[in-house]
Amino acid sequence: MNGFKSQIMETESAPVEQKKRRFHSPVDMEEAEIKLLAREDVEEAGKVMRKCLFSVTDKEIEAIIAKGMSYGAFVDRMLVAVALSWAVRFNPDTKDFEQGEDNAVFLEDDAILLTYEGKGIRELLIEKREEEGGAHRLGYSVAITSQAHPQGENVSEVVRQRGNKTEKALLKKEYKFFKTKNGVIAYRNL
């Protein structure tokens, strides 16, 4: 062997391919804990929501949390995201909300502190609220994603091209998008 680098490289064995670790989401599961919100979380939830430019009172938040379907993401026991939800009556034929027995979980837009955006928390919060809806034997998960009416007939394609973060997360979960008098509604069967 003459010691030339090209000859040494030829005799070395190929690197062993390591298995890639697969996570449920980009957030390290030890980092974020998703929990059902309780009455003692109301004040912190209000702070998070107001930092995310929601105009909501602690009394309104408390009333929604009392329904037992809202979740928060905690990092080191600090609330970093709020996902309010409640049961509603939704008609998938008319794409409208009605009076009557609840059959859907309504997903309010998530309030996530900027530092924690893009870490998979939104997807986890959507999933937990869908699970909660299923536990309550509700048939649908529904959200109003925008008050505006996008141009074009295929709303899902418009969302795919220029939707917000929540809309894109819902699109990945195969929600259907429709223009309605309430704005853009996204829903799917649970």
Side-chain angles (χ1 to χ4, degrees):
M1 179 182 238
N2 62 12
F4 286 111
K5 191 167 186 142
S6 61
Q7 289 178 341
I8 292 172
M9 288 174 63
E10 288 175 13
T11 60
E12 290 179 2
S13 62
V16 177
E17 191 173 312
Q18 294 181 0
K19 287 186 178 181
K20 293 181 181 178
R21 293 182 358 181
R22 294 187 68 186
F23 292 104
H24 181 66
S25 81
V27 173
D28 183 359
M29 292 303 173
E30 295 174 17
E31 182 182 336
E33 181 182 5
I34 307 299
K35 294 190 328 186
L36 191 63
L37 292 173
R39 178 161 285 154
E40 59 268 12
D41 299 314
V42 169
E43 187 178 334
E44 282 303 309
K47 289 177 185 177
V48 169
M49 292 188 78
R50 286 185 283 280
K51 284 181 184 177
C52 296
L53 304 179
F54 282 78
S55 58
V56 64
T57 66
D58 286 356
K59 190 173 182 175
E60 291 169 322
I61 294 169
E62 183 174 10
I64 294 170
I65 288 176
K67 297 176 189 261
M69 300 180 82
S70 298
Y71 282 83
F74 294 81
V75 174
D76 295 328
R77 293 184 291 195
M78 181 179 86
L79 185 62
V80 300
V82 176
L84 301 178
S85 58
W86 56 91
V88 296
R89 174 76 185 170
F90 175 70
N91 184 332
D93 296 327
T94 62
K95 317 297 185 273
D96 205 359
F97 300 97
E98 304 174 338
Q99 295 294 326
E101 187 178 335
D102 295 335
N103 68 346
V105 59
F106 182 83
L107 310 179
E108 179 63 64
D109 199 11
D110 309 317
I112 301 175
L113 295 178
L114 190 57
T115 307
Y116 297 93
E117 278 286 358
K119 296 186 181 284
I121 290 174
R122 178 172 279 106
E123 291 80 1
L124 291 172
L125 290 170
I126 290 169
E127 187 174 297
K128 283 306 260 186
R129 291 180 291 167
E130 288 175 343
E131 288 172 10
E132 191 68 37
H136 283 85
R137 298 194 187 316
L138 301 174
Y140 304 97
S141 177
V142 64
I144 298 175
T145 63
S146 171
Q147 296 297 327
H149 294 280
Q151 299 298 319
E153 291 301 313
N154 187 342
V155 181
S156 294
E157 187 56 36
V158 172
V159 167
R160 188 177 331 295
Q161 291 175 7
R162 54 180 192 255
N164 63 35
K165 292 173 185 175
T166 298
E167 289 172 331
K168 291 197 178 196
L170 295 172
L171 192 63
K172 285 181 189 174
K173 294 188 67 60
E174 299 181 5
Y175 277 69
K176 298 172 189 143
F177 291 80
F178 297 93
K179 289 189 237 184
T180 70
K181 66 181 181 181
N182 296 312
V184 175
I185 285 189
Y187 83 94
R188 80 177 192 108
N189 294 9
L190 292 178

